[in-house]
Amino acid sequence: MQAGQRLFSQHIYSCRERNREMENFPVVDMKNLDNEERGATMEKIKDACENWGFFEVVNHGISIELMDSVERLTKEHYKRCMEERFKEMVASKGLECAESEINDLDWESTFFLRHLPVSNISEIPDLADDYRKVMKDFAVELEKLAELVLELVCENLGLEKGYLKKVFYGSKGPNFGTKVSNYPPCPKPELIKGLRAHTDAGGIILLFQDHKVSGLQLFKDGHWIDVPPMRHSIVINLGDQLEVITNGKYKSVMHRVITQSDGNRMSIASFYNPGNDAVIAPAEALVKEDESSKVYPKFVFDDYMKLYAGLKFQAKEPRFEAMKAIDGPIATV
């Protein structure tokens, strides 16, 4: 009985800790960058980058009307063009009858849009004309926000203005694209993940997530914490490339999507990544004169992505080690 009570108490303590962490999840009001609260706001971003790898921004400059249109049209598109296909996939794989945990499949319905260096939005089938236009407009606003966040990161790190944008540019500009996902109700949420745990390979990720149906979690201090859904917010998280460039000062963080038995969760994740031939390495300003303080390797972004493709759902450290093994002189364009 005492052992049972002890386990129950530990469970209650763990739940309280998770709830406290979710209450403390960093939310940054971007309008305070233009007033006397700027210093405190920059410090909050710095703390989030160092200790969370995630933060949520409000008053970010993207119009509420545009975001509402993106949400409405995304959900309409799923119902019209994707819902039936998803149900057919579930039936073909017998997922509704799963009796043990499924570790090689995600419960999500997705499509991808590329914005930079060349857009493919006009080539994606089944998109209504008004949806194409709205997603183009949304991408323009997200690109501005991504570059603003990169500048704020540079400022906090003491890097020269424009440093990260320049590193990401390569010879043809950054890669920028959007993964549009829906996570339908799942009959076996304890057995099937919406999206398995991983870190993101790229630079900076901007997420417009459903404000009614939760599911996104990050791993912090030994447990999973819910990323709170907030209407009209954008969730920012850091990818592996920023961990390398900051020489580990900032870290990419494991995250996942859990399924729910009720509700269809919308997720629009936009990835502002280095160009294919961009050379990624720790910023010299963040590495002491002693070369031994350089912890992370130097590599071409496309080489990292080729490795990541097969190892996405595994720990990031072996990927860095693999890049370190080929670390050497790199021809620059």
Side-chain angles (χ1 to χ4, degrees), residues 69-136:
S69 294
V70 168
E71 180 176 0
R72 175 177 60 82
L73 292 168
T74 296
K75 292 182 175 180
E76 286 176 4
H77 178 264
Y78 173 75
K79 293 291 289 185
R80 187 178 69 252
C81 300
M82 303 185 73
E83 185 175 42
E84 194 57 39
R85 293 179 214 163
F86 183 79
K87 289 178 178 177
E88 290 172 2
M89 183 277 291
V90 168
S92 69
K93 297 183 181 296
L95 297 180
E96 291 180 330
C97 304
E99 295 183 358
S100 58
E101 189 170 2
I102 294 176
N103 295 311
D104 61 352
L105 194 67
D106 300 313
W107 185 272
E108 64 173 354
S109 172
T110 66
F111 67 94
F112 297 85
L113 302 173
R114 186 177 65 247
H115 312 303
L116 296 173
V118 179
S119 172
N120 71 344
I121 291 183
S122 63
E123 301 164 15
I124 304 296
D126 302 329
L127 297 187
D129 288 343
D130 54 348
Y131 190 27
R132 287 184 209 276
K133 182 181 185 310
V134 159
M135 292 306 283
K136 283 182 181 178

Side-chain angles (χ1 to χ4, degrees), residues 95 117 139-140 152 174 196 270 306:
L95 297 180
V140 169
L152 298 175
R196 289 160 285 167
S270 296
K306 288 173 182 174

Side-chain angles (χ1 to χ4, degrees), residues 21-247:
E21 290 282 19
M22 190 167 74
E23 289 172 6
N24 293 332
F25 186 89
V27 177
V28 176
D29 189 338
M30 300 291 274
K31 78 173 186 296
N32 289 334
L33 291 168
D34 298 320
N35 58 36
E36 67 278 1
E37 295 294 319
R38 180 179 175 85
T41 303
M42 291 297 291
E43 188 61 32
K44 193 167 194 175
I45 293 171
K46 177 176 178 286
D47 179 72
C49 290
E50 289 182 351
N51 297 307
W52 291 77
F54 273 76
F55 57 100
E56 204 155 354
V57 297
V58 296
N59 294 317
H60 39 63
I62 303 176
S63 81
I64 288 173
E65 292 77 15
L66 176 57
M67 296 183 81
D68 286 344
S69 294
V70 168
E71 180 176 0
R72 175 177 60 82
L73 292 168
T74 296
K75 292 182 175 180
E76 286 176 4
H77 178 264
Y78 173 75
K79 293 291 289 185
R80 187 178 69 252
C81 300
M82 303 185 73
E83 185 175 42
E84 194 57 39
R85 293 179 214 163
F86 183 79
K87 289 178 178 177
E88 290 172 2
M89 183 277 291
V90 168
S92 69
K93 297 183 181 296
L95 297 180
E96 291 180 330
C97 304
E99 295 183 358
S100 58
E101 189 170 2
I102 294 176
N103 295 311
D104 61 352
L105 194 67
D106 300 313
W107 185 272
E108 64 173 354
S109 172
T110 66
F111 67 94
F112 297 85
L113 302 173
R114 186 177 65 247
H115 312 303
L116 296 173
V118 179
S119 172
N120 71 344
I121 291 183
S122 63
E123 301 164 15
I124 304 296
D126 302 329
L127 297 187
D129 288 343
D130 54 348
Y131 190 27
R132 287 184 209 276
K133 182 181 185 310
V134 159
M135 292 306 283
K136 283 182 181 178
D137 293 344
F138 192 43
V140 169
E141 297 303 313
L142 287 170
E143 182 185 353
K144 291 178 191 173
L145 180 58
E147 293 182 350
L148 170 60
V149 171
L150 288 180
E151 279 305 299
L152 298 175
V153 169
C154 283
E155 185 176 336
N156 270 337
L157 289 169
L159 297 173
E160 64 183 80
K161 186 176 175 63
Y163 179 86
L164 288 170
K165 184 176 179 180
K166 182 179 178 182
V167 168
F168 278 34
Y169 198 86
S171 65
K172 298 179 181 177
N175 284 301
F176 185 42
T178 296
K179 177 186 177 186
V180 181
S181 303
N182 280 271
Y183 298 94
C186 179
K188 300 286 182 74
E190 71 282 3
L191 298 179
I192 309 173
K193 294 287 182 295
L195 180 60
R196 289 160 285 167
H198 64 287
T199 65
D200 289 322
I204 187 168
I205 298 85
L206 305 94
L207 171 68
F208 177 28
Q209 67 168 342
D210 204 296
H211 66 281
K212 294 180 179 178
V213 184
S214 63
L216 178 61
Q217 297 183 326
L218 64 89
F219 195 71
K220 185 178 188 297
D221 299 332
H223 56 255
W224 290 100
I225 299 167
D226 292 329
V227 176
M230 293 176 57
R231 191 161 198 198
H232 300 132
S233 71
I234 298 290
V235 177
I236 307 288
N237 75 281
L238 310 181
D240 293 350
Q241 306 311 302
L242 279 183
E243 179 166 337
V244 173
I245 294 169
T246 65
N247 203 37

